[in-house]
Amino acid sequence: MKTGWNVAEVIEVTQETRTARTLRLRLPGLAGHRAGQHVDVRLSAPDGYTAVRSYSVASASPGDELDLTVEELADGEVSPYLVRQVAVGDQLEVRGPVGGWFVWDPADPSPVQLIAGGSGVVPLMAMLRAHTAAAGSASPGGAAPFRLLYSVRGPDAVYYGAELDDLARLPLVDVTVVYTREAPAGSNEPPRRLDAATLVRSTLPAADNPAVFVCGATAFVETVADWLVQAGHSPARIKTERYGGTGTRP
Amino acid sequence: MTGDLDDLDYLDGNAAAGPLSEFFAIDVVSARGRCAHCGRTDALATARVYPNSHGLLLRCPGCTEILLRLVDAGDRVCLDLQGLSFVELRRH
Amino acid sequence: MGIVSPGFFGRPRRDDPGLPPGQYLTEGFPVLSAGPTPRIDPDEWEFTITTETGQVHRWSWTEFLALKQDDVSTDIHCVTSWSKLGTSWRGVSLDTLFESVESDCEFTMAHSYGGYTTNVPLDDLLGGKAWIAHEFDGEALEPAHGGPARLLVPHLYFWKSAKWVRGLEMLRQDEPGFWESNGYHMYGDPWREERYW
Ligand SMILES: Cc1cc2nc3c(=O)[nH]c(=O)nc-3n(C[C@H](O)[C@H](O)[C@H](O)COP(=O)(O)OP(=O)(O)OC[C@H]3O[C@@H](n4cnc5c(N)ncnc54)[C@H](O)[C@@H]3O)c2cc1C
Ligand SMILES: [Zn+2]
């Protein structure tokens, strides 16, 4: 872990969707991080005003590089800057990666259920990537079943689409995407909000005692965590990461 | 679900990991802490963070009392731990 | 101070004579959430002023509404950098509430439902400078904004305008309240940018 504020350089930017962008940062001296961690990003205006926001790390590489994926909120202060203005070669102040709680440990052999709402897929993607890396090593977690349930507005709001398709073909990985507003072209399932029954149908049963990670806007996380407990999951097995924004329930 | 939407305006204790990392050499949100008010003892990551306040507040999910508060005054950071009567760290 | 982020200016700030230094203008009314919102039934609500002798002056909701009501138009300035100009409130002036109160103290501590406290010198509460407000923009004050009633001391940073206020305690010496004991300024004048100690 690197402590305090450090300067990272933006080395690559990729448009993820119409409203989201992935920034690849190089943070000199960083030697990897744990899947699920986040960094705090600090922006400073010329008059000394600063704004700090947290962003999960999407990548799971061992070196000094980190991918962040940021969703632009139309009336936001920080996200529009990160999505539209930051360019390759710019410097950003970051603190972390931090957070040792909402992390997946490759030494843990438990089955894993990931549940994402919108941009909440970011740290869960790091866990999927770390799982793939662990599957190629002797880590017990590499042999664990991994499931992702991803609730998203529509097909063009999906992050990491091609990579998720590839991951879904792996024997231990299962990916379910629920489209809430707009279904993919040619799909015969209409768009619908995630509900408790769909959640139970498309996740690992409580009887398997999976480690569950839920991430997304606060209202989404709150509702999903309630449903999981009602479905018999032990609250101690459910780890949550609320992103803020109280407006959107599943 | 109880309460109004504005009562939901909190994050998980994990979101306080960055600010607290300036005080603690280890990841303190994974440490177990005891609420000085009701005695509930659990990982600080399971507490509630209110980040949009005048400072950062960590509240007990059991009794909603304040476990810790942190104010970033720019050139100084102030941390009040009155609401925590005990903290247990795990060595890895 | 760290590196400047090229092209980042934060919320647009402009030179407006009504804006104290470092503040930006907002049209909305941001809620700074510090915890669950207390829900207080007006039937159980009361407001008290407690003097150094232990004497308690007490108003029920009905008694409070029967007092002389003021309509107040004023600017408010939050220490987290937003200001809102020309807000309208209705409430009871602290001058009215203090008419019957005998005290030699120069300082007060405001106490709120939910446990919040903030210190304000008595001088800053009297002379038409402060109210216990129960209406905002012609409507009953919402719980999220401090309803049923909040202290309104608009010439100081807004954290001094305690939401869900339930009483004032007279103090011989100034003592720090909730935020003042953890980094925030004892007085909080926005024009002198008294944000932190
Ligand atoms: C631990 C952690 C990890 C995070 N990781 C990511 C990430 O990987 N990618 C990412 O895009 N964001 C992430 N977030 C959210 C991020 O920190 C910011 O809150 C978000 O980018 C909005 O900042 P802003 O300055 O643009 O908006 P602000 O100016 O802060 O807010 C603008 C408006 O949007 C609302 N709002 C704030 N946050 C959200 C939200 N998450 N959803 C909906 N409405 C909201 C506010 O209430 C306000 O009305 C994470 C948050 C946390 C706590
Ligand atoms: Zn408690």
Side-chain angles (χ1 to χ4, degrees):
Chain A
M1 186 173 84
K2 291 198 53 131
T3 53
W5 291 101
N6 296 284
V7 177
E9 190 187 329
V10 179
I11 57 170
E12 201 181 313
V13 298
T14 316
Q15 201 70 32
E16 203 65 62
T17 68
R18 219 159 17 82
T19 50
R21 208 162 67 151
T22 295
L23 307 177
R24 177 158 295 169
L25 309 182
R26 175 171 294 132
L27 188 55
L30 178 72
H33 65 279
R34 304 176 70 191
Q37 286 191 303
H38 64 274
V39 294
D40 295 338
V41 174
R42 176 165 75 185
L43 303 182
S44 303
D47 65 356
Y49 174 80
T50 59
V52 178
R53 298 289 185 279
S54 301
Y55 293 97
S56 305
V57 179
S59 51
S61 46
D64 62 357
E65 294 180 5
L66 299 170
D67 285 358
L68 312 182
T69 304
V70 180
E71 180 75 34
E72 178 177 2
L73 297 182
D75 59 344
E77 183 172 42
V78 170
S79 59
Y81 180 84
L82 295 176
V83 173
R84 289 165 183 269
Q85 257 180 292
V86 163
V88 169
D90 282 356
Q91 295 187 320
L92 285 176
E93 279 186 292
V94 304
R95 181 169 57 194
V98 290
W101 176 256
F102 193 81
V103 293
W104 178 67
D105 180 0
D108 182 351
S110 307
V112 172
Q113 178 66 55
L114 310 172
I115 304 174
S119 55
V121 75
V122 177
L124 309 185
M125 191 63 191
M127 296 182 192
L128 276 167
R129 288 169 168 163
H131 175 255
T132 310
S137 73
S139 304
F146 249 64
R147 269 201 185 193
L148 169 66
L149 173 60
Y150 183 8
S151 164
V152 65
R153 273 196 325 273
D156 38 336
V158 171
Y159 293 0
Y160 327 120
E163 191 180 347
L164 281 176
D165 288 345
D166 287 345
L167 284 169
R169 286 191 208 100
L170 296 174
L172 287 171
V173 180
D174 182 274
V175 177
T176 308
V177 183
V178 173
Y179 300 96
T180 59
R181 307 262 184 78
E182 190 196 328
S187 157
N188 42 20
E189 279 211 48
R192 66 204 152 82
R193 314 220 119 219
L194 182 63
D195 55 30
T198 313
L199 178 94
V200 170
R201 226 181 315 118
S202 27
T203 52
L204 291 167
D208 290 2
N209 197 24
V212 188
F213 295 89
V214 189
C215 184
T218 295
F220 175 88
V221 171
E222 191 85 10
T223 310
V224 166
D226 282 354
W227 287 339
L228 288 166
V229 172
Q230 280 159 25
H233 290 268
S234 155
R237 295 292 280 162
I238 305 170
K239 289 188 174 173
T240 52
E241 185 88 286
R242 290 166 173 84
Y243 271 7
T246 48
T248 38
R249 303 207 175 170
Chain B
M1 202 179 306
T2 53
D4 286 1
L5 275 180
D6 42 83
D7 284 343
L8 277 185
D9 200 5
Y10 62 86
L11 307 175
D12 296 280
N14 199 45
L20 289 171
S21 72
E22 297 199 39
F23 285 91
F24 299 94
I26 47 85
D27 177 55
V28 79
V29 299
S30 308
R32 284 157 55 80
R34 186 202 292 139
C35 170
H37 186 73
C38 75
R40 187 182 186 278
T41 308
D42 204 342
L44 293 181
T46 66
R48 299 177 171 183
V49 169
Y50 291 82
N52 303 325
S53 179
H54 292 91
L56 181 152
L57 291 180
L58 200 66
R59 286 182 182 268
C60 173
C63 70
T64 78
E65 285 295 323
I66 293 165
L67 298 172
L68 69 79
R69 52 191 174 139
L70 185 148
V71 170
D72 188 335
D75 54 347
R76 288 166 309 122
V77 198
C78 305
L79 179 63
D80 178 320
L81 294 164
Q82 264 187 82
L84 272 175
S85 55
F86 162 87
V87 179
E88 174 196 45
L89 302 171
R90 279 286 162 90
R91 294 207 183 88
H92 286 288
Chain C
M1 184 44 51
I3 52 166
V4 169
S5 323
F8 176 74
F9 300 102
R11 301 270 179 215
R13 267 151 294 159
R14 60 162 199 248
D15 285 327
D16 186 310
L19 275 186
Q23 297 291 109
Y24 73 86
L25 218 50
T26 180
E27 296 300 323
F29 193 169
V31 175
L32 294 195
S33 123
T37 304
R39 314 272 149 183
I40 306 113
D41 185 346
D43 285 345
E44 278 157 34
W45 184 90
E46 62 170 23
F47 182 78
T48 59
I49 297 177
T50 309
T51 68
E52 64 274 27
T53 61
Q55 197 189 4
V56 183
H57 302 257
R58 205 179 288 274
W59 292 266
S60 70
W61 186 246
T62 331
E63 287 163 346
F64 170 73
L65 290 185
L67 298 172
K68 176 174 166 295
Q69 302 289 319
D70 290 0
D71 288 309
V72 184
S73 176
T74 185
D75 304 339
I76 54 180
H77 310 292
C78 175
V79 70
T80 60
S81 295
W82 57 265
S83 290
K84 195 169 166 59
L85 306 184
T87 57
S88 29
W89 305 81
R90 188 176 174 78
V92 176
S93 163
L94 266 304
D95 295 308
T96 307
L97 291 160
F98 269 96
E99 266 167 22
S100 58
V101 177
E102 293 276 338
S103 171
D104 295 328
C105 293
E106 288 174 28
F107 300 96
T108 76
M109 184 70 78
H111 292 265
S112 294
Y113 291 97
Y116 182 74
T117 55
T118 187
N119 56 315
V120 187
L122 183 58
D123 261 357
D124 289 88
L125 294 179
L126 302 179
K129 293 201 286 279
W131 296 265
I132 304 295
H134 58 89
E135 273 186 22
F136 174 74
D137 252 352
E139 309 272 347
L141 188 60
E142 285 173 40
H145 287 301
R150 76 182 296 162
L151 186 60
L152 178 65
V153 200
H155 68 286
L156 300 179
Y157 278 127
F158 215 42
W159 89 78
K160 295 286 184 181
S161 294
K163 294 184 192 181
W164 314 296
V165 70
R166 65 174 172 79
L168 290 169
E169 176 195 358
M170 309 302 301
L171 298 175
R172 289 194 188 283
Q173 270 164 357
D174 202 7
E175 284 173 24
F178 182 82
W179 288 117
E180 295 84 2
S181 64
N182 201 43
Y184 279 89
H185 200 275
M186 285 295 270
Y187 185 64
D189 180 351
W191 296 95
R192 288 189 294 180
E193 279 207 88
E194 292 173 346
R195 296 176 198 271
Y196 307 108
W197 292 335

